[in-house]
């Protein structure tokens, strides 16, 4: 079933405890772990992750945009993060990462930047529970959704089948949500479209309902 994982990095970082306490109906909460090297920004350290986990029962998932993903597996798992994805671009041995996450009884996945061909995940199809396809790049146009990723989503769905989650992360909003779902995604990471509103819970519920409406249309067309 289609789901949304709102990125906490787009929330008010100076008042996370209060923000999280007001969230209602969230099925997931997304943690971008950025080290300032793999990507330009620096986001949450492990102490903040631990604090977030202690003040909510919402399932947490983490997207590692870091140079050394293996260093984060143990602290994230011990903090209670349920699902962890790392970029193939920063993994010399993706199987080692996936196996390490699974040893803690957590779900593991891989992530691909816009420029990385989908074929990079084929050797690991039977070992991942999730694929994150990044759909924007920091460029002169800002963090804008790259429509070319739609073909990549379709390819990924053919490779992975229906049992692996495909989430799309970057520049997702109400205008392109349907296109992403029709292409084959069953989840999206959304930041500003949820936490940039006056009422994140209402925005989340509206977008989730809209996404599930589009998903029903896709399933109906397949029957």
């Amino acid at each position: 079933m289609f789901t949304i994982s709102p990125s906490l990095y787009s929330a008010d970082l100076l008042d996370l405890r209060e923000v999280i306490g007001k969230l209602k109906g969230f099925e997931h909460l997304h943690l971008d772990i950025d080290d300032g090297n793999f990507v330009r920004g620096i986001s949450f350290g492990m102490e903040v992750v631990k604090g977030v986990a202690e003040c909510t029962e919402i399932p947490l998932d983490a997207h590692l945009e870091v140079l050394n993903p293996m260093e984060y597996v143990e602290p994230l798992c011990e903090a209670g993060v349920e699902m962890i994805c790392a970029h193939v671009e920063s993994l010399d041995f993706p199987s080692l990462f996936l196996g390490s996450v699974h040893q803690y009884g957590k779900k593991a996945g891989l992530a691909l930047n816009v420029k990385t061909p989908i074929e990079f995940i084929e050797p690991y199809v039977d070992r991942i529970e999730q694929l994150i396809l990044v759909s924007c790049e920091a460029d002169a146009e800002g963090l804008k959704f790259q429509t070319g990723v739609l073909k990549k989503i379709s390819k990924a769905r053919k490779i992975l089948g229906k049992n692996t989650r495909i989430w799309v992360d970057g520049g997702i909003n109400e205008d392109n949500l349907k296109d992403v779902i029709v292409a084959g995604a069953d989840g999206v990471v959304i930041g500003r479209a949820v936490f940039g509103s006056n009422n994140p819970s209402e925005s989340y519920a509206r977008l989730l309902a809209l996404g599930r409406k589009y998903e029903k249309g896709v399933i109906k067309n397949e029957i």
Side-chain angles (χ1 to χ4, degrees), residues 33-35 38-39 64-70 72 87 90:
I33 309 298
D34 303 343
D35 66 357
F38 185 77
V39 292
L64 298 180
E65 297 176 283
V66 300
L67 288 182
N68 300 299
M70 292 298 297
Y72 296 80
H87 275 263
S90 63

Side-chain angles (χ1 to χ4, degrees), residues 4-18:
I4 295 174
S5 190
S7 174
L8 195 60
Y9 196 36
S10 294
D12 182 354
L13 300 180
L14 295 179
D15 205 1
L16 284 179
R17 185 178 295 274
E18 183 174 347

Side-chain angles (χ1 to χ4, degrees), residues 6-146:
S7 174
L8 195 60
Y9 196 36
S10 294
D12 182 354
L13 300 180
L14 295 179
D15 205 1
L16 284 179
R17 185 178 295 274
E18 183 174 347
V19 169
I20 294 169
K22 292 179 179 179
L23 301 179
K24 297 179 180 178
F26 280 41
E27 297 176 352
H28 300 275
L29 198 55
H30 186 78
L31 301 173
D32 289 295
I33 309 298
D34 303 343
D35 66 357
N37 294 299
F38 185 77
V39 292
R40 289 184 295 181
I42 297 176
S43 59
F44 303 121
M46 294 304 98
E47 289 301 316
V48 174
V49 172
K50 190 183 301 182
V52 169
E54 289 174 352
C55 71
T56 185
E57 294 183 358
I58 301 171
L60 303 175
D61 60 89
H63 178 187
L64 298 180
E65 297 176 283
V66 300
L67 288 182
N68 300 299
M70 292 298 297
E71 295 179 0
Y72 296 80
V73 172
E74 182 177 352
L76 286 173
C77 290
E78 290 185 347
V81 175
E82 295 295 327
M83 183 158 52
I84 305 173
C85 282
H87 275 263
V88 296
E89 298 91 349
S90 63
L91 290 168
D92 291 329
F93 304 102
S95 293
L96 180 60
F97 166 78
L98 298 171
S100 297
V101 176
H102 288 148
Q103 282 182 347
Y104 282 93
K106 307 296 185 178
K107 294 177 181 178
L110 296 174
L112 298 180
N113 277 328
V114 174
K115 67 179 182 180
T116 306
I118 196 65
E119 286 75 17
F120 273 63
I121 66 163
E122 288 193 87
Y124 312 103
V125 165
D126 61 346
R127 302 198 64 187
I128 62 175
E129 284 80 39
Q130 183 189 38
L131 171 68
I132 291 180
L133 294 176
V134 176
S135 49
C136 69
E137 289 183 336
D139 54 24
E141 297 180 351
L143 298 176
K144 183 180 179 181
F145 179 79
Q146 303 289 317

